[in-house]
Amino acid sequence: PLANFGNGFPSPLRFTLVSFPITDRVKVIALSCFAGGAAILALILVALWSKRRGRKSKSATGGGNYSYQTLVNATANFSEENRLGSGGCGVVYKGILENKKEIAIKKLARKNLKELEREVSLVAELQHENLVKFLGHCFQDDKMFLVYEYLSSKSLSNYFKGSGDYQKLDWAKWLNIIKGVARGLTYLHLDSGKDIVHRDLKPSNVLLDSNFGAKIADFDLARGYNRERSHESTRNTAGTYGYIAPECYAEGKFSTKSDVYSFGVMVLEIIVGQSINRFENDNCTGLVEHVWQHWSDLRVGDVLDRDHLGLGNHEQMQQASRCVQVALLCVQNDRSRRPAMDEVTYFLSNEMLVPDPSAPGYITAPAGSGPPVCSVNDVTISMTEPRS
Ligand SMILES: *[C@@H]1O[C@H](CO)[C@@H](O)[C@H](O)[C@H]1NC(C)=O
Ligand SMILES: *[C@@H]1O[C@H](CO)[C@@H](O)[C@H](O)[C@H]1NC(C)=O
Ligand SMILES: *[C@@H]1O[C@H](CO)[C@@H](O)[C@H](O)[C@H]1NC(C)=O
Ligand SMILES: *[C@@H]1O[C@H](CO)[C@@H](O)[C@H](O)[C@H]1NC(C)=O
């Protein structure tokens, strides 16, 4: 007989009942199969159910929920002495909780609360040893704060020449910082499952812990959180002059590959011991151009600041040269040729051959004031909103 599925069309399947004598043995096997299957199914259902419950029982936004009074107590009513500086999204204060734990509190400008809660729940899920740890939030009336772990060793920008706290580290620590930032960025881009583009990676957004381990900061809020948005074009250019990839100036195109560019610039800064925006050499070339020229002339050794990097033996020199080569791959003008961050991590930690970089892209700022001018591929683009 043909089974009819109610929509008027006969099923192509033909159901045939085969009758055969069921022995007791078959019955026992069938029954135990059924019971076993049912038990497994029940276990799976229970597991799924408890997982859902586990997720629900966490706070709706994730992380801790701090009361405003707790933050007022921790910062002596947000006093000037506790003010650490102002980041991309707001003023940052240092606080000490009643249990003596040190925290950093970022005050946000007023924003849509629903959107903020959604973003905070995403940020709360980001946990990696090379990201500054997110501890929680405080949304009370019109006051909005995010709370992070406090790191005592300041940001990487204090370790370059020309900074008040110019400090030297040994090569092992420098290499560890470079690899740490690469791992943190790999996590944001690929391993977090959220395709996060940082958009403003620079030394002042890399904090160092007491062992000089690198932790990326300011990865929260107003970032691209998914693939559709990770290539988004935007008129109001985020990012910081010098670290921002040429295509971000030209087309406002932020992507994981523009973060890779910023990473490359940071590595070059470490190598020469100078910040890109204060970089000086006899030929008046920019940092990227300077390193590229020396690379092309096979004189990489000349760009390494051996004293700043604490370079001693030949092996360390080779590791530093390798870092230069990887950095030049990251700042290539053609963004499709820039490696992904997991490849960068791989290049940095393996003895395998690193490809030869092609020409870098960079923006040259004319001497004196006036907006910096972008001259990539002989196309000159004026920058409308210089930021530093
Ligand atoms: C957080 O705490 C405040 C009061 O301190 C409360 O009004 C709010 O509902 C809490 N939010 C969550 C998500 O628990
Ligand atoms: C804030 O400090 C005051 C006085 O030291 C104390 O009475 C109060 O319990 C503290 N509040 C919180 C939320 O820690
Ligand atoms: C804290 O600061 C605010 C304004 O900055 C002020 O109105 C308030 O009175 C201060 N509270 C205390 C306890 O000093
Ligand atoms: C400046 O450029 C010339 C020619 O390209 C080169 O020989 C020289 O080494 C450069 N000097 C520096 C400090 O880069």
Side-chain angles (χ1 to χ4, degrees):
L2 295 173
N4 195 312
F5 283 137
N7 55 3
F9 293 102
S11 156
L13 294 172
R14 191 179 288 270
F15 294 102
T16 329
L17 281 173
V18 183
S19 60
F20 57 92
I22 300 174
T23 66
D24 283 352
R25 233 175 154 170
V26 172
K27 260 188 199 164
V28 168
I29 292 169
L31 266 175
S32 49
C33 281
F34 177 77
I40 289 171
L41 195 70
L43 276 175
I44 291 172
L45 283 175
V46 165
L48 282 176
W49 178 73
S50 53
K51 204 171 168 189
R52 275 181 77 104
R53 257 181 71 94
R55 257 195 221 135
K56 268 202 171 150
S57 64
K58 267 193 208 156
S59 135
T61 40
N65 183 12
Y66 294 84
S67 77
Y68 181 61
Q69 191 55 48
T70 304
L71 301 188
V72 165
N73 280 13
T75 58
N77 200 14
F78 295 99
S79 68
E80 270 306 306
E81 300 89 74
N82 285 310
R83 193 180 159 124
L84 293 172
S86 39
C89 309
V91 188
V92 183
Y93 294 90
K94 181 188 175 177
I96 300 173
L97 295 175
E98 253 170 16
N99 61 10
K100 302 276 177 277
K101 190 184 166 101
E102 294 180 314
I103 53 173
I105 302 161
K106 185 191 271 186
K107 185 177 188 185
L108 301 172
R110 208 188 152 86
K111 225 178 166 230
N112 180 308
L113 186 61
K114 274 274 161 292
E115 190 183 332
L116 206 53
E117 281 178 343
R118 198 173 45 93
E119 289 177 343
V120 164
S121 69
L122 283 168
V123 171
E125 283 175 33
L126 301 174
Q127 302 284 344
H128 189 269
E129 65 163 318
N130 298 111
L131 295 186
V132 174
K133 197 173 170 145
F134 175 77
L135 297 177
H137 66 278
C138 164
F139 300 153
Q140 212 165 302
D141 304 324
D142 58 345
K143 300 175 190 76
M144 293 169 183
F145 301 91
L146 299 181
V147 180
Y148 294 88
E149 69 175 320
Y150 174 79
L151 294 165
S152 54
S153 289
K154 298 195 178 169
S155 77
L156 199 52
S157 60
N158 294 288
Y159 291 78
F160 297 130
K161 272 177 212 151
S163 120
D165 310 293
Y166 172 61
Q167 204 172 332
K168 292 173 195 170
L169 301 175
D170 63 29
W171 174 243
K173 293 204 174 75
W174 279 121
L175 191 58
N176 191 41
I177 289 170
I178 292 172
K179 287 180 177 176
V181 177
R183 282 194 300 267
L185 215 47
T186 305
Y187 173 79
L188 285 179
H189 287 178
L190 301 160
D191 299 338
S192 67
K194 297 190 176 65
D195 306 303
I196 294 172
V197 177
H198 188 293
R199 288 165 159 252
D200 199 14
L201 187 72
K202 56 184 173 181
S204 59
N205 277 336
V206 174
L207 305 182
L208 300 181
D209 65 19
S210 48
N211 299 317
F212 299 99
K215 296 193 182 242
I216 300 174
D218 221 9
F219 51 87
D220 50 22
L221 309 177
R223 312 285 181 216
Y225 275 113
N226 52 47
R227 244 178 247 285
E228 301 99 80
R229 285 172 65 192
S230 69
H231 265 277
E232 87 192 87
S233 294
T234 164
R235 289 247 164 255
N236 38 358
T237 313
T240 304
Y241 174 68
Y243 302 94
I244 191 173
E247 73 270 11
C248 300
Y249 278 109
E251 306 154 62
K253 267 193 185 142
F254 286 86
S255 65
T256 51
K257 291 298 179 76
S258 55
D259 276 356
V260 169
Y261 183 94
S262 310
F263 172 79
V265 171
M266 254 179 48
V267 172
L268 295 182
E269 288 179 306
I270 290 174
I271 290 300
V272 302
Q274 297 182 51
S275 157
I276 187 168
N277 290 318
R278 290 189 188 158
F279 180 75
E280 283 174 3
N281 73 344
D282 297 343
N283 286 2
C284 289
T285 47
L287 169 63
V288 176
E289 195 180 359
H290 169 78
V291 178
W292 171 244
Q293 274 175 5
H294 281 75
W295 166 264
S296 309
D297 296 348
L298 304 175
R299 291 186 296 136
V300 173
D302 295 350
V303 301
L304 305 174
D305 184 334
R306 291 173 211 206
D307 184 36
H308 181 246
L309 295 172
L311 289 175
N313 57 38
H314 179 71
E315 193 198 337
Q316 292 176 335
M317 290 287 285
Q318 290 224 301
Q319 287 173 337
S321 304
R322 187 184 187 81
C323 288
V324 173
Q325 189 169 349
V326 174
L328 284 173
L329 284 175
C330 293
V331 298
Q332 289 175 106
N333 189 37
D334 180 355
R335 81 181 147 141
S336 67
R337 298 183 72 149
R338 292 175 207 152
M341 278 318 293
D342 57 341
E343 293 176 277
V344 170
T345 313
Y346 193 65
F347 288 150
L348 286 172
S349 49
N350 283 281
E351 294 305 315
M352 67 169 297
L353 219 59
V354 179
D356 265 345
S358 63
Y362 46 85
I363 322 276
T364 45
S369 53
V373 173
C374 169
S375 56
V376 182
N377 292 337
D378 298 324
V379 182
T380 302
I381 299 143
S382 293
M383 209 180 88
T384 44
E385 271 190 306
R387 282 178 49 169
S388 60

